[in-house]
Amino acid sequence: MLYPVAPSTGVPVAPASPRLTSIDQLRGTVIVLMLLDHVRETFYLHAQVADPMAVDQVEPALFASRLLAHLCAPVFVLLTGLSAWLYGSGQATGRRAAAAFLLKRGVFLVALEILVVNFAWTLQFPPSVIYLQVIWAIGLSMIALAGLLWLPRGVLAVLALVLIGGHNLLDGVHVDGNGPLAVLWKVLHQRDWIELGEHLRLRTSYPVLPWIGVIALGYVLGPWFAR
């Protein structure tokens, strides 16, 4: 490939990359941490534990690896919001393009969780249980941000910080049953089972309310990385 030549030095100059190295480096770091966590059961097959975060019951190395893995999901979701802003800033239609991008990718991730990832976990088809985990939560967060990004940046920042910092204040609110309000609350905040008839149950392993705050915060931070 031939690169343009700098007039002053005559040395070929590679074109500037559209990617931000700092973001790629951060994403790569958390991928390594996630890989470490996902293979830990192989290395600790001889020492099965109910909770690797029980510091008084596990080896320090196991506790440390699991503790570091807690950075993965928040960083991925934050960078998803940041990437959405960067994508929209480079498009002619701005926020409209970002909203469409988030909506399509979000629906795809929700479908991926239900149809592919859950099957990989359960090896059941049709499934009797569907575990709604991190990919589902990221997908729903993207769908939520597709609507929230139309808010003024200051309002979105306040909303993001309130959701992140205050969602645990709602831990005492429990809604039982399988009515519309109960299902909505279990999706948003209450980790629980949703019964869909006699033969299918959903487990909201990752309620999405705090993740909506994290992805919104990532979007708010986007202008700091503008070129």
Side-chain angles (χ1 to χ4, degrees):
M1 178 180 295
L2 297 178
Y3 293 130
V5 176
S8 58
T9 64
V11 177
V13 178
S17 171
R19 303 188 65 86
L20 294 174
T21 303
S22 58
I23 294 176
D24 286 340
Q25 289 173 339
L26 178 58
R27 185 180 288 114
T29 300
V30 295
I31 287 175
V32 172
L33 293 176
M34 182 178 66
L35 178 64
L36 174 65
D37 183 60
H38 281 200
V39 301
R40 65 183 166 82
E41 289 190 1
T42 300
F43 293 103
Y44 285 90
L45 193 61
H46 63 287
Q48 293 294 310
V49 294
D51 182 6
M53 292 302 295
V55 67
D56 59 333
Q57 301 175 19
V58 301
E59 298 177 24
L62 175 56
F63 175 81
S65 67
R66 183 57 183 154
L67 181 64
L68 287 173
H70 280 72
L71 296 172
C72 297
V75 171
F76 277 132
V77 176
L78 185 80
L79 292 182
T80 299
L82 174 58
S83 298
W85 188 91
L86 292 172
Y87 175 82
S89 68
Q91 303 297 314
T93 53
R95 283 189 291 183
R96 186 178 299 277
F101 172 85
L102 287 163
L103 184 60
K104 289 185 290 186
R105 299 307 191 278
V107 170
F108 172 77
L109 288 180
V110 170
L112 183 69
E113 179 79 85
I114 294 173
L115 299 176
V116 178
V117 176
N118 188 75
F119 176 76
W121 278 102
T122 64
L123 298 179
Q124 288 185 341
F125 188 82
S128 59
V129 176
I130 296 177
Y131 295 98
L132 304 174
Q133 302 187 84
V134 64
I135 294 178
W136 171 84
I138 294 175
L140 276 191
S141 299
M142 294 175 77
I143 294 171
L145 182 59
L148 293 174
L149 61 77
W150 297 100
L151 294 173
R153 185 173 177 229
V155 174
L156 186 58
V158 171
L159 177 62
L161 293 175
V162 167
L163 290 178
I164 294 170
H167 72 277
N168 287 123
L169 298 175
L170 301 172
D171 288 351
V173 179
H174 292 275
V175 182
D176 297 324
N178 292 287
L181 181 60
V183 170
L184 177 62
W185 189 240
K186 290 174 183 179
V187 168
L188 288 176
H189 188 72
Q190 181 177 317
R191 184 178 298 176
D192 207 338
W193 291 97
I194 299 173
E195 306 287 344
L196 297 180
E198 297 181 1
H199 304 293
L200 181 60
R201 308 170 74 200
L202 308 181
R203 174 67 174 178
T204 54
S205 301
Y206 276 77
V208 300
L209 191 61
W211 301 113
I212 293 173
V214 175
I215 198 172
L217 181 61
Y219 189 85
V220 168
L221 296 178
W224 290 4
F225 293 84
R227 290 185 169 183

